[in-house]
Amino acid sequence: SYRQLLHPQQGRCQQFSGKLCHPPGIPAAIPGSYMVPDGVETIDINAFEHCDNMTSVFIPATVTHIGMNTYTGSHTFEYCSSLTAIHVDENNPVYSSDDQGVLFDKEQTVLIRAPQTIPSTYMIPDSVDSIGMAAFRFCDDLPSLSIPNGVTTIEDYAFNACLNLET
């Protein structure tokens, strides 16, 4: 079984030692949904780079690490311009998602990433106390956002390049 989902341009594209390269056919050839194979534990930061036709992704219970560059704020799903939902298996011990397809930590106290094409207004759940680095970066279609009073941390680049965000 595979343990890592990696991008081929990272020089680690051989399928050996339990590593899985960039998904076959992605970025542009397979429109629609993509299911990360069960058994994958790590999704590399560039695994879904420029997956412009991917509309949703399903993360199994086995994934315990999703890549992020903490220096630049680049995130695994950042350049997925058609992504409308990130779904997480309810048995995943580290991550979860809400009914809008937004990615959170398991307890939903940290909002990790919103899909780039999140529609209309979004109400962040009251359980959230931290909005992660680049969580809404490039969410151009989002005109307004409701942030609960319990949010005490908004990390760098959280709303970077949200061109239509007004309130």
Side-chain angles (χ1 to χ4, degrees), residues 3-4 8 14 27 36 38-39 41 47 52 59 68 86-87 91 96 108 113 120 122 124-125 133 146:
R3 290 192 305 266
Q4 293 187 315
Q14 299 81 11
V36 174
D38 195 36
E41 297 171 0
D52 295 330
I59 299 170
M68 177 175 210
I86 303 165
H87 302 291
N91 295 314
S96 65
Q108 294 197 352
R113 180 69 188 166
S120 63
Y122 179 69
I124 296 174
M133 181 178 271
S146 176

Side-chain angles (χ1 to χ4, degrees), residues 91-159:
N91 295 314
N92 188 297
V94 178
Y95 299 104
S96 65
S97 57
D98 67 6
D99 59 354
Q100 298 286 317
V102 175
L103 179 65
F104 297 88
D105 68 336
K106 183 64 176 182
E107 296 78 26
Q108 294 197 352
T109 59
V110 179
L111 190 154
I112 297 170
R113 180 69 188 166
Q116 198 163 325
T117 58
I118 188 168
S120 63
T121 299
Y122 179 69
M123 294 183 67
I124 296 174
D126 289 336
S127 60
V128 172
D129 60 26
S130 179
I131 299 173
M133 181 178 271
F136 289 93
R137 182 187 257 173
F138 298 119
C139 290
D140 294 341
D141 296 333
L142 184 66
S144 65
L145 185 69
S146 176
I147 301 175
N149 290 333
V151 171
T152 58
T153 304
I154 298 176
E155 293 191 29
D156 292 341
Y157 311 112
F159 302 103

Side-chain angles (χ1 to χ4, degrees), residues 5 23 26 31-37 43 47-48 51 53-60 63 66 75-78 80 82-89 96-98 101-103 113-116:
L5 192 60
I26 292 179
S33 298
Y34 179 75
M35 291 188 73
V36 174
I43 300 175
F48 294 107
C51 292
N53 292 325
M54 184 173 68
T55 57
S56 65
V57 63
F58 179 80
I59 299 170
V63 171
I66 297 173
H75 195 281
T76 300
F77 304 107
E78 185 169 304
C80 300
S82 298
L83 189 63
T84 61
I86 303 165
H87 302 291
V88 179
D89 185 301
S96 65
S97 57
D98 67 6
V102 175
L103 179 65
R113 180 69 188 166
Q116 198 163 325

